[in-house]
Amino acid sequence: MVEALELQARSLLTANAVRARARQMLEIGLADGLRHFTVDLDRMDGVAQAVLAVTRKAYPTLDIPFHARWRHFVLGGVDRWAQLAGAVSWPDRTARARAEFDLAIVSVLLDAGAGAAWRYRDMETGQAIGRSEGLAIASLDMFAGGLFSHDAGSPFRADADVLAKLPLAALKSAFQASDDNPLLGLEGRADLLRPLGKLMAEHADVFGMHDTPRPGGLFDHIAAQAKNGTIPAPAILSAVLNQLGPIWPSRLELAGIPLGDCWRHPAIKTDDATEGLVPLHKLSQWLSYSLIEPLQRAGFTVTDIDGLTGLAEYRNGGLFVDHEVLRLRDPADAERAHAVDSLLVVEWRALTVALLDRLAERIRAKLGRTPETLPLASILEGGTWAAGRAIAFARRPDGSPPLKVISDGTVF
């Protein structure tokens, strides 16, 4: 019985479960059965046109990279990480891959929305950068400066013992956060890095196979699962969810297994203990997308990119609300603040994942592409995230999302 429950719990730690339950939510919505939203697919063509417009502007040749943390390290056309990494004499490709896993994992965990007011002053250009781009450059500066390393002579690493004791004051200073430059969810970010450090120290068999425990150890763990040099993208997510799952704040558990970014909604029906549970795994999937390129640079072939799903966050979700594919049953809900575990937010996020799949089909049809030549990861980058941001700024001066979500900095 316990073993069966554990298998059911693990089944929720997959992209397949995210996609299947999101589709179930959309089917309920199309049958007019949701409490908070109605769905109008007739407006999807307008969304596709908006996404294509921003995509063609950003990537005129339609040679679109993946939606990953690496895009945010490009400032003013200069790829800061490529510049830094190119100046290092790496012993081999795996050494660089471990450093890139260190950077990606720490940087993604530090990026969970900054709020509209916060800015990071880039020392190189003097530019004041906000939102995800500012968080990325800030985290890259921390990494390059050795904030996460236990060896002053080897800054490009993140070590378990350093992360486990990272003071909040050090993060606050590195982010240039203050009363006049407030950064939302700063404590939540520190409260992810410290448990990450402790977890890695306790699981040196995973995170310390070829070095002292560090996030880069996950590269070796994933690489060991490769068959003929090939790794399916969903296996990356599986490793992220199963190995990093315990760091997330106390949320739902099943059979003692933390379920991460997974929430309850009574409309979701199954015939087992997972009934009513809606996995979304937004940050973990974005991290998984961000780990593909380091694996590729290390010589691995990553397949089934579309085995991962779209990301259930406010830019993608706002795209469908602002284009009125999704409409609130109660318009007053647009003015209220909603908890991340509220039925309204769970509906919105699951619908977003399912609608991104539908949207991807339309965009590929318009461009004559296939999932192999234009994966969902590239459509997100081209793409849906940018179009969501564009219409948010067109509708609201501060570019805020159309719905207000109370988040602790560990979901979005």
Side-chain angles (χ1 to χ4, degrees):
M1 179 65 181
V2 173
E3 192 174 309
L5 274 179
E6 285 181 359
L7 285 172
Q8 290 168 29
R10 296 281 177 206
S11 76
L12 293 171
L13 302 178
T14 64
N16 276 343
V18 175
R19 181 164 271 124
R21 302 208 174 190
R23 285 179 175 171
Q24 192 178 342
M25 191 78 79
L26 179 58
E27 291 304 319
I28 296 165
L30 291 172
D32 202 30
L34 291 178
R35 194 173 300 182
H36 295 285
F37 289 95
T38 60
V39 184
D40 182 1
L41 291 183
D42 289 342
R43 301 189 70 86
M44 283 286 278
D45 207 54
V47 182
Q49 296 293 358
V51 171
L52 281 170
V54 298
T55 299
R56 286 193 168 108
K57 185 176 179 183
Y59 301 99
T61 64
L62 297 180
D63 183 18
I64 312 163
F66 299 148
H67 186 61
R69 191 49 159 168
W70 309 105
R71 309 291 81 79
H72 291 151
F73 296 140
V74 179
L75 188 62
V78 177
D79 187 331
R80 292 284 181 86
W81 169 245
Q83 207 174 49
L84 288 166
V88 175
S89 297
W90 303 101
D92 52 37
R93 290 190 296 182
T94 60
R96 174 168 172 169
R98 289 183 197 110
E100 290 182 335
F101 265 56
D102 282 348
L103 173 57
I105 291 170
V106 170
S107 185
V108 165
L109 293 180
L110 286 172
D111 183 359
W118 177 81
R119 294 290 183 275
Y120 182 74
R121 178 73 63 182
D122 175 43
M123 295 301 135
E124 209 165 298
T125 63
Q127 197 176 335
I129 321 158
R131 303 187 182 272
S132 279
E133 292 85 348
L135 293 169
I137 296 298
S139 64
L140 179 58
D141 285 349
M142 294 178 211
F143 185 70
L147 181 64
F148 312 118
S149 173
H150 63 200
D151 179 359
S154 180
F156 291 170
R157 57 183 294 128
D159 289 291
D161 53 349
V162 176
L163 293 175
K165 297 173 183 173
L166 193 67
L168 178 62
L171 265 189
K172 185 176 181 181
S173 172
F175 273 124
Q176 303 171 2
S178 65
D179 291 344
D180 296 326
N181 190 31
L183 177 61
L184 298 181
L186 187 58
E187 293 82 359
R189 293 163 220 264
D191 288 342
L192 283 179
L193 292 186
R194 286 193 287 261
L196 172 65
K198 290 173 186 165
L199 175 83
M200 291 186 298
E202 291 164 5
H203 292 87
D205 56 322
V206 173
F207 295 99
M209 291 168 69
H210 296 286
D211 201 344
T212 53
R214 56 189 285 199
L218 195 63
F219 165 78
D220 298 298
H221 175 77
I222 293 170
Q225 300 171 40
K227 293 180 180 173
N228 300 317
T230 298
I231 299 164
I236 302 172
L237 177 64
S238 179
V240 166
L241 288 172
N242 283 287
Q243 301 304 328
L244 302 182
I247 73 171
W248 297 102
S250 178
R251 292 184 187 147
L252 297 179
E253 290 189 358
L254 182 59
I257 294 168
L259 301 181
D261 184 5
C262 182
W263 313 92
R264 293 193 185 279
H265 196 292
I268 299 300
K269 303 297 182 188
T270 65
D271 56 2
D272 63 14
T274 68
E275 179 161 295
L277 294 176
V278 183
L280 294 161
H281 305 313
K282 181 264 168 178
L283 268 177
S284 295
Q285 292 209 78
W286 189 44
L287 175 55
S288 299
Y289 280 127
S290 300
L291 298 180
I292 292 172
E293 288 160 74
L295 286 161
Q296 290 174 328
R297 280 191 283 269
F300 293 94
T301 299
V302 180
T303 58
D304 194 17
I305 306 293
D306 268 25
L308 301 179
T309 78
L311 303 180
E313 48 82 51
Y314 64 85
R315 289 303 183 206
N316 290 321
L319 178 70
F320 296 114
V321 173
D322 279 335
H323 279 278
E324 298 182 23
V325 173
L326 297 178
R327 289 194 184 97
L328 290 166
R329 290 190 183 276
D330 181 359
D333 275 331
E335 304 307 318
R336 301 182 183 115
H338 305 277
V340 74
D341 63 349
S342 66
L343 294 189
L344 183 146
V345 172
V346 175
E347 284 180 16
W348 181 34
R349 297 182 72 207
L351 289 167
T352 296
V353 170
L355 288 170
L356 285 167
D357 277 345
R358 298 277 188 114
L359 182 61
E361 291 170 7
R362 286 177 185 247
I363 288 171
R364 289 183 190 123
K366 289 177 184 294
L367 295 176
R369 297 289 193 93
T370 65
E372 290 71 34
T373 60
L374 188 63
L376 180 58
S378 297
I379 291 172
L380 295 173
E381 174 60 26
T384 59
W385 192 89
R389 176 185 270 188
I391 194 167
F393 275 99
R395 294 285 181 94
R396 292 166 295 278
D398 64 351
S400 59
L403 301 178
K404 299 178 180 71
V405 179
I406 306 162
S407 177
D408 60 4
T410 64
V411 175
F412 295 122

